[in-house]
Amino acid sequence: MDDEGRKELEAQWTRVCDRLRKEIGDKAFKTWFGEVEPGESKAGKVRLYAPTRFVRDWVSRHYGDRVLAYWHAVNPDVSSVEVNLVPPPTVKRNEIIAMPPVPAPQSFQQPMPKFGPAIGRGGDEGFSGPEARYTFANFVVGKPNEFAYAAARNIAEQDKPLPERNPLYIFGGVGLGKTHLMHAIWHAIRERDPKTRVLYLTAESFVNRFITALRTKNTGQFKELFRNVDVLMVDDVQFICGKEASQDEFFFTFNSLVEQNKQIVLSSEKPPSELQDIEERMRSRLGSGLVADIHSSTYELRLSILQTKAEGARVPVPTNVLEFLAHKISTNIRELEGALNRVVAHGQLIGREITVEMAQDVLHDLLRQADRKVTVDEIQQRVAAHYNIKLAEMSSPRRARSVARPRQVAMYLAKQLTTLSLPQIGKRFGNRDHTTVMHAVRKIEELKVSDISIAEDVELLKRQLQG
Ligand code: ADP
Ligand code: MG
C-alpha cells in the first residue's frame, strides 16, 4: 500500500473508532481496541492487527459485525474486515538506527513482512537512513520555530547532556517540522562524531516492538536495543498515551538512560501538560528537561520556506505565486510543500507558465478545502459572539481595543478562510481601506506568536467556522 492509501485507511479507522467508542464506552474501547491497528486494505477487504491472540479472538467474536458495519458506513466499498495477529517486527522506515560499526542486531535484519505496517516511502528493505534533506541547513528558521531550532542545535553540538536539558521535548502541530528537526539532530551528531550511537524511532514503533517482545517472550532482545545507545530519539510520543504497559516500559527505558547520562530527545503534538491518559510520574518526567514548542507558522515563515524551496526548483516560480500560496495554505508546512511541488510539476510537465491563476487551477481541490465556503457574515457573527461584542462593531469606526482587536481577528480569518481580496474584505468591514486589512492580518500573525490566548482564540474560531 502506498502512503496515500495508508493515510486514507488510517483516517477511516479513526472514524470507525470514534463510533465504536461512542457505542461501547471509553473503558471497553480502550481495553479491546486500544492497541488494534489498521494493517492494510485491498479490494474491499480490510485487515486489522491485534496485539495478542486473545484480543484478536475477542474482537472478532464480539465486535466483528459492528466494526464491519461502521466501516461500511464510512466507506461503502469495504465488504469484509479481518482481524489478524500483528506480524513480527522488522526494520521499518520509521526507525533509523546508527550503531557502532558492528553488524546491526539480529532483529533489524529480518525481511519485511508481507503486510508490515511500514511507514515511509517504501523501496529499500532493512536498514534505512534518515531523510537526507532533513538537515539544519535546510530548516528555515523564523519566529515560530527559532527556539526549538536553537534547542535542537544545542543538543546536537554538546559533548555531554546537561541534566537541565535532558530530555529535549519538542512539541507542535502536525507538519510543522518536528521530525525534520529530529533527523537534523541525527545528521549533526553523526557528522560530528560518527561513532556516536543514535537511535531514532517513532513511539508507534517503540510500542509495536514492545508488544511483540511481550508476545514472543523476548523482552531481553528488546531491552538490548536500548542498552548501548548514546542518544535516544522518540518521535510522536503522544502515541504512547493510554497504552499502559508500553508506558511503563518507556518510563523504565527512559530512566535508565537518563541515569547513564544519555541524551534523550522527544517530539509530541502536545505539551506534557496536555497529554491525556498518561501517568503523572511519566508526565513530569517528560517535562523535566527542556521543553521547546514550535508555534503554528506565520505568513513570513511560510513565504521564506517557499522561497527557499523554490530556489531549488527547476522552473522559476514568480514571487506573487509564492505569496499566494503562503497566504492560502496555512495549515502546515507539509501541505505547503506539497502545493508548491504540484504547481512546479505542472509548470514543468505541461510547460505551462506559472501564474496565480494557474496555481489556483492546479490546486483547486486543496484551496476549496481551505476555503470551505466560509462567508464573511459567518466570520463576523462568530467572532462577535466569541468576544461578546455587537455585530455592528465589525463595521463601526470605533477604535477602542475591545472592539478593534476582535475586528482584526475577523479580518484575519476572512483573509485566511475566504478567497476574497484585501479590498473586498475591507469593504465588508465598514468600507475600510485594504491597507487596514493588511495591517490587521499582520498584527494577528504577530500576536499569534507572542500571545497564546490570541493564538488559541484564532484556532478555536477557525475550527468552529470550518467544522
Ligand atoms: P512534523 O513531524 O512536525 O509533523 P515534519 O518534520 O514531518 O513535521 O515536516 C513536514 C514537512 O515540512 C517536511 O518535509 C519538512 O522538511 C518541512 N518543514 C517543516 N518545517 C520546515 C522549516 N522550518 N524549514 C523547511 N522545511 C520545513
Ligand atoms: Mg513527525
Side-chain angles (χ1 to χ4, degrees), residues 91-98 121 124-134 183 186-187 200:
V91 177
K92 295 184 205 129
R93 295 276 311 180
N94 57 358
E95 291 181 350
I96 305 166
I97 300 133
R121 273 158 242 295
D124 54 354
E125 294 187 353
F127 176 82
S128 63
E131 183 72 47
R133 62 191 180 92
Y134 287 179
H183 287 213
W186 197 99
H187 287 297
Y200 164 98

Side-chain angles (χ1 to χ4, degrees), residues 324 327-331 360 363-376 378-379 413-420 462 465-467:
F324 172 77
H327 253 306
K328 286 296 169 193
I329 301 172
S330 58
T331 38
Q360 248 164 344
L363 302 172
H364 77 275
D365 54 327
L366 240 181
L367 296 173
R368 203 181 46 214
Q369 204 187 12
D371 292 338
R372 223 165 269 147
K373 299 209 180 58
V374 181
T375 64
V376 173
E378 278 170 334
I379 294 175
L413 289 169
K415 181 70 205 154
Q416 291 265 308
L417 304 178
T418 75
T419 45
L420 298 180
K462 214 162 151 182
L465 285 160
Q466 288 184 315

Side-chain angles (χ1 to χ4, degrees), residues 174-186:
V174 174
L176 295 183
K178 301 182 296 295
T179 299
H180 187 136
L181 279 181
M182 291 181 109
H183 287 213
I185 293 175
W186 197 99

